[in-house]
Every structure is written in structure tokens, then in C-alpha cells.
């Protein structure tokens, strides 16, 4: 007994000593914060409104959820950056205004007025605002015609695809709602609540597949005040498996023209048995083992997050489950796949400089409230262990100083000062009101699992006026030495509303990244980068051709896409840059990773003070699924790369 207690005491001592040492080592002086903040600067403006339905500040809800009406009205603010008007530049914004439930497309602020902002036509029989709500947008060239379409996912129905079509082009040749034809291709008359979605080529056949991470289980008509029956709540806060789960759709065919189409087949056995039913809030696709087949990370609100290893072949999508390994002094929630709950956002980026993507996961770490941790899983590089079912990642959130922020949703990694080091951002806050309801929520968080599923007896009343983490500050973490510090207050990165999504891209193509933040019950905000000391950069428009070309030949041109270099974004392509000093930078093109913020498909690398050429390697799959590679030497600036694709029968 003495020996057993000694082991326990030793473990407590190790963890406590490490925590105190970490707190001391990460203390930052005012002078250091000011010096870090001097490298950054942003100007702010709001996205334009579009006249529409009456403004709301809370949704209509199912009678059984009226007690927690504010609680279930906390998702849906989404924003994405892409090239919506076909000029080759990702300077258009698509966002959801939760006040009117409109999906709005607009030129980004401070870019030319190429068309007037407009809302997509969400009308009966496809949409009924009195029982549905849009929750997110996925901007992608669904039918491979070189134009970006809009996938809108909802609570209250299955997703809709708004295809771009030339049939609605007006005489002035400007973009408008008439350019988008709505198609209802997913299971009709089904009721989903989709928390997130992304597109990637999961089976390596050269075409984009779709994954939807759903929240409530199918049939939960949560925003219908006329609905009868009950809504199933999570049967556990830490192990719930009665949510909507993940749905994966494999691309099978598509067509372009005035009547665009696409067909998918749902792959029911893509994920291993026994891991379904999660309450999904974020999903990310990223190649983690170097085979150009993207792995999947799904962040679940109630229950452990999941990392899936891609074992697909063309025409057959298959994933297996990966979990991390803990050590003697590793808290359970710091082991990938063994966290308890509250996973709400995910992004990928190389944080330790080994050339492999690491994983940044947002969570809830409210001072005096719920405490698990914001997660940073750093790759060990031992990808061979994936064959054993082991996720080759270790937790470094405390060491990096990224453990604490608030009630966090979207998480993003990007280089805003072009020094070659990633910054870390989050959208935070839950419900903004006048009455603090944290004590009630904390009581719920510690309740017995058997009681959680009953709203009337176990859940606190959370209606109009409630405040739960309603005044969190969106963090903006920058690297100082071996750890990160939050300089959000010093640079004015914050919102008057609770935030949900962050979209990132070089909107005005001046060489520095800008961003947009979507907010619940308020306007979205555009942050233009006004960096005071610009570093060098390399920007790439990496495109797949729409028709086969000369075998093995890629077209590389300085500047932005032209009609001769038009194509579709090379989603899941990997670009690796080696700097003269040996430092390696790597990025992948994603098509919607995270919670509700969708970044531009352009790739951006900060190069610091480098003036000469850098070595660039591009790995991609052509539209027939063949793996290709190019090696280039490029000077700083913007380039368009139309990736090679052999003619039929070519090498």
C-alpha cells in the first residue's frame, strides 16, 4: 500500500512541478508583449448587409427545447473566401448572416466593386425559415467546370448545392443570385443538423468527395416550434454516441453547362464499426503520412474526437481508427482520441519545424468554468505506427502556451507577418447576455450521465438574456522563443459579439494574409493586414486543368490566373519549400477544414528577409488520380501553377 501511494504521490508531484515551472517559464512582460504586437496591425470593417427577412436574435425551437432555447441557437455564423466571380482571385466572401438566415455573397471590402452583394435564393420548397436554419457553407467546384459552387448545410434538412451556371448571367455580365441553380441531391425528406463539412479526394481517383459531420441525430427537428415528440439529447457529456455522426459521399460523375449536375454514392462502411454517432462540430482532411490520401480528424462536442487513417483505393473509401499513447504522467485528455468532450474546431500546420503537419484543436477552457485544454498534437514523425492503430502524436499544448483561451470554436494557423512562423487564432464565446449562467452550466458539466439526456430535469434554463462566456476575447497567439503569447488586446483583435468562424486569405494580393470573422447575431468583420514591417512571401494559385494537356508538363507563370491558366483548385496538393538555410515550410490546400470558417484555396508562405529564389516541390494527384511531382525554383511573389495532366494514353 505504501509503495502504491508513493507512486501516486510521485505522479502528482511531477504534474504539479511541471505545471508551476511552465507557468513561470511562460510569464511575459508588458515590454515583450508590446514588442511582439509591433509586428502586426489590422484595420477593421464590417461586411455589408443585404435586405431580407425580419431580423432575429434567437431561433424558433422545438417545444421540448424551449427551456434551453438560447443554448441551441448558438451555431450557424459561417464565412468563406474563394473566387466566386471567376476572375481568378479569391477576393469574394460567402457568409451566413444569422440575424436573417441569409447566405450572402459579396466582394471583399476594399476590393473593386465587381457586383452588388446578394443573397442566395433559399425558398420553398427547399427552405422554410420557420423550421430550418443554414449552419455553414462549403465553397468548392463541385462539378469540375472551373467555377466555384456553394454547398449549404443546415439544421432541419439535408444540404443543398447551389451550382454556378451561365444561364442566369445578365446583360452586364456581373454575378448575381440568378447564376446559382439549387439542387437537392442528398436524401430527400431527411432532417439533419450538420455541424461542419469539407471536401477532399479521399479515394485518390482525382475527384472530390464530401464528408458531413452531423450533430443531433437524424430526424431531430430542433428549430421547428410545431414539431411533436421528443428530441434526443446526448446520453453522456463525455461518451455520447447518439448524435448524427459522419456521412461520407464518394463522387461518381458530374456535368457542366446550363444544367450542371453531380452524383455521389454514400459510403456506409467508410469508417470502422463502433465509432459512429458522434456529435460533430468540426472536420478536417489532411495528408498526415505522405501518400496524398487525406486523413480525417473529426471534433466531437460530447465524446472523444476521432482521427482516421486513410486506407482507400480508387472507388473504395476506407478509414481505420488511430489513437495516441499516453505516458505515466500524461493526463487522459492529453492523449489523442481519449479526450472527454468539447472538441469544437481543428486545423493543421507545422508547429515544430519538422516538415509534417501538426494538429491544433479548439476546446473549452474558461477560467473558473470548464477546464480540459485547447489541444496541440505534434507529430513524432513515426508514421509507420499508423499500421498498428497508433496516432503518432504527442500533446504539446502546455509547452507551446496554447492550453488556455476560452469557449473556443474555429481554430486557425497562419503566418500573418511573413516571418515563416505560424500564428494561432481562435473564434471564441458562447452566449452573450446580461445574466451569468456559468454556475448552472458548471453544475450540468458535473452531472451524472444518466441525467444529462433529460432537458426538463437536468439542464438549466438558458433562454433570452442568459450569458455564458459571452465576453471572451478572440485570441491571437504569436511565437516568442519556444512558446506562444496572446497579443489580441494589443492589436485590437476582438468582436462585440460571440464568434464562430475564421476565414483567411490574401484578399487584396499585397503579399500579406487578411481574415474575416463570422459572429452570431451580428455582422461579420473583415481584418485587413496592415503589417508595419513586411517580410518576403511566396503565393501560389495551384490549379488542376479542366482538360488533358501535354504529358508531364506544368505551366508556371508569375502573377495571377488568366484565361489561359484557368482551372480548378488542386485540393489536397502538398507544397514544400526549402529555404537557403535549410528550413522547411509545408502547406496543403484544404477545401473547408475547421468549424465554420473556410480559408482561401491559395497557398501563402512567409519567407522572412529572403530575396533570392527558393526550392519548391509540389506533390499532387491529377484529375485521373495519378500522383505527380514538380520541382521549381521561384523568387518571392505571386505565381500561377497549372499542374500537368497527361493526355489519354500519355506517360
Amino acid at each position: 500500500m505504501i509503495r502504491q501511494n508513493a507512486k501516486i504521490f510521485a505522479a502528482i508531484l511531477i504534474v504539479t512541478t511541471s505545471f508551476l515551472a511552465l507557468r513561470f517559464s511562460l510569464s511575459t512582460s508588458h515590454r515583450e508583449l508590446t514588442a511582439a504586437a509591433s509586428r502586426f496591425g489590422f484595420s477593421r470593417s464590417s461586411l455589408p448587409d443585404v435586405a431580407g427577412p425580419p431580423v432575429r436574435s434567437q431561433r424558433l425551437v422545438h417545444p421540448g427545447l424551449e427551456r434551453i432555447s438560447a443554448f441551441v441557437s448558438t451555431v450557424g455564423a459561417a464565412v468563406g473566401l474563394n473566387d466566386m466571380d471567376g476572375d481568378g482571385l479569391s477576393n469574394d466572401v460567402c457568409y451566413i448572416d444569422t440575424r436573417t438566415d441569409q447566405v450572402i455573397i459579396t466582394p471583399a471590402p476594399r476590393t473593386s466593386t465587381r457586383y452588388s452583394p446578394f443573397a442566395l435564393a433559399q425558398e420553398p420548397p427547399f427552405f422554410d425559415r420557420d423550421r430550418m436554419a443554414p449552419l455553414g457553407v462549403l465553397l468548392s467546384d463541385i462539378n469540375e467546370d472551373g467555377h466555384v459552387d456553394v454547398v449549404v448545410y443546415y439544421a432541419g434538412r439535408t444540404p443543398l448545392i447551389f451550382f454556378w451556371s451561365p444561364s442566369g448571367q445578365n446583360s452586364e455580365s456581373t454575378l448575381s443570385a440568378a447564376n446559382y441553380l439549387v439542387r437537392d441531391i442528398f436524401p430527400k425528406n431527411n432532417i439533419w443538423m450538420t455541424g461542419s463539412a469539407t471536401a477532399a479526394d479521399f479515394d485518390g481517383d482525382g475527384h472530390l468527395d464530401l464528408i458531413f459531420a452531423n450533430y443531433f441525430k437524424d430526424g431531430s427537428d430542433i428549430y421547428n416550434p410545431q414539431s411533436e415528440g421528443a428530441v434526443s439529447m446526448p446520453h453522456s457529456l463525455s461518451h455520447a454516441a447518439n448524435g448524427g455522426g459522419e456521412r461520407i459521399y464518394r463522387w461518381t460523375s458530374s456535368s457542366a453547362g446550363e444544367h450542371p449536375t453531380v452524383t455521389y454514392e454514400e459510403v456506409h462502411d467508410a469508417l470502422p464499426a463502433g465509432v459512429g454517432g458522434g456529435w460533430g462540430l468540426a472536420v478536417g482532411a489532411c495528408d498526415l503520412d505522405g501518400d496524398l490520401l487525406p486523413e480525417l480528424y473529426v471534433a466531437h462536442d460530447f465524446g472523444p474526437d476521432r482521427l482516421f487513417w486513410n486506407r482507400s483505393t480508387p472507388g473504395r473509401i476506407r478509414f481505420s481508427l488511430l489513437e495516441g499513447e499516453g505516458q505515466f504522467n500524461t493526463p487522459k485528455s492529453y492523449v489523442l482520441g481519449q479526450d472527454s468532450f468539447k472538441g469544437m474546431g481543428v486545423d493543421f500546420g507545422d508547429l515544430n519545424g519538422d516538415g509534417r503537419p501538426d494538429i491544433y484543436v479548439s476546446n473549452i477552457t474558461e477560467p473558473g468554468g470548464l477546464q480540459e485544454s485547447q489541444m496541440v498534437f505534434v507529430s513524432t514523425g513515426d508514421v509507420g505506427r499508423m499500421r498498428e492503430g497508433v496516432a503518432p502524436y504527442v500533446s504539446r499544448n502546455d509547452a507551446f502556451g496554447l492550453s488556455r483561451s476560452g469557449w473556443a470554436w474555429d481554430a486557425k494557423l497562419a503566418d500573418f507577418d511573413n516571418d515563416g512562423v505560424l500564428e494561432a487564432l481562435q473564434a471564441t464565446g458562447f452566449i452573450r447576455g446580461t445574466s451569468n449562467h456559468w454556475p448552472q452550466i458548471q453544475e450540468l458539466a458535473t452531472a451524472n450521465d444518466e441525467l444529462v439526456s433529460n432537458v426538463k430535469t437536468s439542464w438549466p434554463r438558458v433562454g433570452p438574456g442568459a450569458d455564458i462566456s459571452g465576453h471572451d476575447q478572440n485570441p491571437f497567439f504569436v511565437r516568442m522563443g519556444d512558446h506562444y503569447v496572446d497579443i489580441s488586446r494589443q492589436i485590437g483583435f476582438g468582436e462585440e459579439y460571440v464568434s464562430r468562424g475564421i476565414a483567411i486569405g490574401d484578399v487584396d494580393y499585397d503579399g500579406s494574409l487578411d481574415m474575416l470573422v463570422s459572429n452570431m447575431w451580428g455582422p461579420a468583420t473583415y481584418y485587413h493586414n496592415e503589417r508595419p514591417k513586411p517580410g518576403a512571401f511566396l503565393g501560389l494559385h495551384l490549379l488542376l486543368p479542366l482538360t488533358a494537356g501535354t504529358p508531364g508538363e506544368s505551366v508556371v507563370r508569375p502573377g495571377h490566373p488568366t484565361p489561359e491558366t484557368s482551372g480548378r483548385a488542386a485540393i489536397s496538393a502538398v507544397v514544400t519549400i526549402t529555404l537557403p538555410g535549410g528550413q522547411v515550410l509545408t502547406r496543403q490546400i484544404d477545401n473547408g477544414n475547421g468549424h465554420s470558417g473556410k480559408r482561401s484555396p491559395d497557398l501563402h508562405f512567409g519567407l522572412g528577409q529572403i530575396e533570392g529564389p527558393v526550392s519548391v516541390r509540389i506533390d499532387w494527384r491529377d484529375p485521373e488520380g495519378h500522383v505527380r511531382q514538380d520541382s521549381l525554383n521561384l523568387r518571392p511573389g505571386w505565381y500561377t501553377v497549372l499542374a500537368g495532366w497527361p493526355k489519354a494514353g500519355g506517360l
Side-chain angles (χ1 to χ4, degrees), residues 551-575:
E553 181 178 328
S554 295
V555 177
V556 182
R557 293 182 179 177
H560 307 301
T562 64
E564 293 75 24
T565 55
S566 61
R568 59 185 176 98
I571 304 302
S572 299
V574 181
V575 175

Side-chain angles (χ1 to χ4, degrees), residues 43-315:
S43 58
R44 297 177 50 180
S45 56
S46 295
L47 294 190
D49 298 330
V50 174
V55 170
R56 293 174 179 166
S57 59
Q58 187 172 291
R59 297 201 177 102
L60 306 175
V61 300
H62 185 287
L65 302 177
E66 197 169 331
R67 179 182 182 87
I68 56 172
S69 58
F71 194 102
V72 296
S73 298
T74 55
V75 290
V79 62
L81 269 171
N82 217 305
D83 174 18
M84 307 305 296
D85 61 353
D87 65 355
L89 303 177
S90 293
N91 55 5
D92 303 289
V93 184
C94 181
Y95 73 100
I96 294 176
D97 188 335
T98 52
R99 298 168 298 180
T100 59
D101 289 318
Q102 291 176 293
V103 179
I104 297 172
I105 296 176
T106 178
R110 300 177 59 159
T111 63
S112 59
T113 307
R114 304 175 302 281
Y115 56 91
S116 298
F118 62 89
L120 294 179
Q122 299 181 110
E123 300 172 344
F126 301 110
F127 181 72
D128 179 357
R129 193 188 183 207
D130 289 336
R131 55 175 292 268
M132 302 174 184
L135 299 186
V137 294
L138 179 63
L139 311 178
S140 183
D141 185 357
I142 294 295
N143 63 327
E144 303 178 355
D145 64 351
H147 295 276
V148 176
D149 311 300
V150 184
V151 180
V152 183
Y153 45 94
Y154 295 85
R157 63 151 300 125
T158 50
L160 292 172
I161 298 180
F162 292 82
F163 285 102
W164 180 91
S165 170
S167 60
Q169 202 78 33
N170 61 34
S171 58
E172 297 179 355
S173 297
T174 59
L175 193 67
S176 71
N179 282 111
Y180 291 91
L181 304 179
V182 63
R183 293 289 184 266
D184 187 4
I185 70 169
F186 298 102
K188 296 178 174 59
N189 301 318
N190 280 18
I191 296 174
W192 294 3
M193 181 183 180
T194 304
S196 189
T198 195
D201 180 8
F202 296 131
D203 63 346
D205 66 351
H207 306 283
L208 295 182
D209 311 299
L210 298 174
I211 178 172
F212 299 101
N214 289 349
Y215 195 74
F216 281 92
K217 75 175 185 179
D218 294 2
S220 299
D221 210 3
I222 66 168
Y223 294 145
N224 184 0
Q226 307 302 320
S227 183
E228 299 179 354
V231 173
S232 295
M233 299 297 288
H235 59 59
S236 165
L237 290 180
S238 56
H239 300 288
N242 63 328
E246 290 72 55
R247 288 180 175 269
I248 295 178
Y249 286 85
R250 186 178 73 84
W251 180 97
T252 57
S253 66
S254 64
S255 65
E258 294 191 358
H259 304 285
T261 63
V262 68
T263 59
Y264 297 96
E265 68 168 9
E266 184 172 5
V267 186
H268 296 281
D269 58 352
L271 303 180
V275 299
W279 295 70
L281 281 177
V283 62
C286 183
D287 175 19
L288 302 179
D289 61 356
D291 63 358
L292 291 181
L293 292 175
E295 275 62 54
L296 276 177
Y297 190 102
V298 184
H300 290 138
D301 198 10
F302 303 107
D305 290 0
R306 299 294 190 186
L307 177 62
F308 297 105
W309 181 38
N310 196 334
R311 303 180 64 187
S312 304
T313 55

Side-chain angles (χ1 to χ4, degrees), residues 412-430:
K412 288 290 186 286
L413 297 169
D415 180 3
F416 287 91
D417 61 348
N418 289 349
D419 66 348
V421 178
L422 298 174
E423 282 72 60
L425 289 69
Q426 291 178 320
T428 61
F430 188 40

